């Protein structure tokens, strides 16, 4: 419908870009995109978060301690979990980009970047206020350069937050005795943060909103991203360190 309305305006048509269907970029009406961003901690944690728990319960941890010192074991476990969680978050999103581009046969987004720059500067000729809502509060310069640059930034940001959640779950697994609770702990933390910050009227500080390329909320800020990221990772490191000390009696 929009294409028919603006069929004679090539500049406006360039703003109707297929990249908006990449996972995370779509509107809330895109079920698959919203579902992934809401449940990614549970999806990733199934494969990773209970590794220490399982090795401890099976007795394999004792065997590993005989082959390497405890510091090396816990360092490798944390680093491996962090990197793998990052990759498991990012890879489905990159696959989504490739599939959308293949289905639409659209790989070059230079025209969109040019039109978006004009939209931000107010120099584009629009018949009405359509697309004004497309102007982003944060990191517009990335989108002006290319949707790919903007995509890479947000997918990396999301991957780092995902790694933080999974490593926090890994740390808590040294305190929790219920296997299912261990597996779903990252998702529980994720939803709890969303519920608490929404109840406090601070949804713009919730990672669920901070890592979304859609920027669906106002008052998002770089400060909130940095502080939330640092708090998340410091908490994960602290819990992990306490867990190591708590389990130092393991031979």
């Amino acid at each position: 419908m929009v294409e028919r309305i603006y069929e004679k305006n090539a500049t406006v048509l360039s703003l109707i870009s297929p990249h908006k269907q990449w996972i995370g970029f779509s509107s809330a009406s895109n079920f698959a995109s919203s579902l992934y961003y809401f449940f990614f901690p549970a999806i990733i944690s199934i494969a990773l978060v209970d590794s220490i728990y399982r090795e401890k319960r099976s007795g394999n941890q004792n065997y590993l301690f005989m082959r390497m010192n405890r510091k090396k074991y816990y360092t490798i476990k944390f680093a491996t979990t962090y990197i793998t969680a990052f990759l498991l978050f990012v890879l489905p999103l990159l696959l989504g980009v490739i599939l959308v581009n293949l289905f639409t046969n659209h790989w070059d987004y230079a025209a969109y970047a040019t039109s978006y720059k004009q939209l931000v500067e107010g120099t584009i000729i629009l018949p009405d206020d359509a697309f004004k809502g497309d102007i982003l509060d944060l990191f517009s310069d990335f989108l002006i350069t290319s949707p790919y640059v903007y995509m890479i930034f947000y997918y990396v940001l999301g991957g780092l937050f995902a790694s933080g959640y999974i490593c926090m779950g890994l740390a808590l697994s040294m305190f929790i005795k219920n296997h299912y609770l261990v597996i779903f702990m990252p998702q529980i933390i994720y939803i709890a943060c969303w519920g608490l910050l929404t109840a406090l009227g601070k949804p713009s500080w919730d990672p669920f909103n901070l890592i979304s390329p859609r920027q669906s909320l106002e008052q998002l800020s770089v400060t909130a991203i940095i502080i939330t990221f640092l708090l998340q990772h410091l908490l994960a490191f602290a819990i992990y360190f306490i867990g190591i000390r708590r389990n130092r009696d393991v031979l």
Side-chain angles (χ1 to χ4, degrees):
M1 179 178 178
V2 177
E3 288 87 345
R4 290 199 301 270
I5 294 174
Y6 299 113
E7 61 182 352
K8 296 182 179 180
N9 192 326
T11 304
V12 173
L13 284 176
S14 67
L15 291 172
I16 308 170
S17 175
H19 90 272
K20 294 178 182 178
Q21 296 304 311
W22 295 345
I23 297 177
F25 285 70
S26 309
S27 65
S29 61
N30 189 305
F31 180 73
S33 183
S34 299
L35 192 68
Y36 182 78
Y37 268 82
F38 197 77
F39 287 109
F40 74 82
I43 296 171
I44 299 172
S45 64
I46 290 173
L48 294 173
V49 77
D50 63 340
S51 59
I52 291 178
Y53 177 91
R54 285 185 288 105
E55 288 173 358
K56 184 177 178 181
R57 297 277 293 188
S58 67
N60 191 44
Q61 191 179 67
N62 292 335
Y63 171 73
L64 292 171
F65 284 161
M66 289 189 290
R67 302 187 62 185
M68 67 178 75
N69 61 55
R70 290 166 50 85
K71 181 179 180 181
K72 183 178 181 181
Y73 168 84
Y74 284 114
T75 300
I76 291 175
K77 186 66 67 176
F78 191 94
T80 302
T81 301
Y82 194 94
I83 294 170
T84 306
F86 177 88
L87 294 175
L88 289 178
F89 176 85
V90 172
L91 288 177
L93 300 177
L94 294 179
L95 179 61
V97 170
I98 294 171
L99 290 176
V100 169
N101 288 2
L102 283 173
F103 287 139
T104 60
N105 194 29
H106 194 115
W107 297 87
D108 185 359
Y109 292 95
Y112 174 83
T114 300
S115 297
Y116 180 76
K117 180 180 180 182
Q118 295 174 354
L119 181 65
V120 172
E121 294 174 345
T123 58
I124 193 171
I125 299 175
L126 292 172
D128 49 41
D129 288 334
F131 303 105
K132 290 295 184 181
D134 286 3
I135 299 177
L136 302 173
D137 294 330
L138 299 178
F139 312 117
S140 252
D141 288 345
F142 293 160
L143 201 51
I144 288 173
T145 302
S146 170
Y148 288 117
V149 175
Y150 184 80
M151 172 268 291
I152 290 171
F153 173 80
Y154 261 99
Y155 285 179
V156 168
L157 177 66
L160 294 174
F161 269 98
S163 294
Y165 280 115
I166 302 305
C167 285
M168 194 178 298
L170 182 73
L172 288 169
S173 72
M174 291 187 277
F175 300 89
I176 300 172
K177 295 182 179 181
N178 185 287
H179 190 205
Y180 294 105
L181 186 58
V182 168
I183 292 175
F184 289 105
M185 185 52 63
Q187 184 69 45
I188 293 170
I189 296 171
Y190 186 59
I191 293 177
C193 289
W194 170 74
L196 178 62
L197 290 168
T198 300
L200 293 175
K202 300 290 184 180
S204 59
W205 283 78
D206 176 30
F208 175 76
N209 296 309
L210 294 178
I211 66 175
S212 171
R214 290 189 292 114
Q215 296 189 32
S216 55
L217 292 180
E218 296 180 355
Q219 300 179 339
L220 296 173
S221 68
V222 176
T223 299
I225 293 173
I226 294 173
I227 292 176
T228 304
F229 176 82
L230 291 176
L231 286 175
Q232 182 205 45
H233 281 66
L234 286 173
L235 186 59
F237 282 126
I239 297 172
Y240 195 68
F241 180 74
I242 294 170
I244 293 172
R245 291 179 60 86
R246 181 176 181 272
N247 290 274
R248 62 186 174 186
D249 57 323
V250 178
L251 299 176

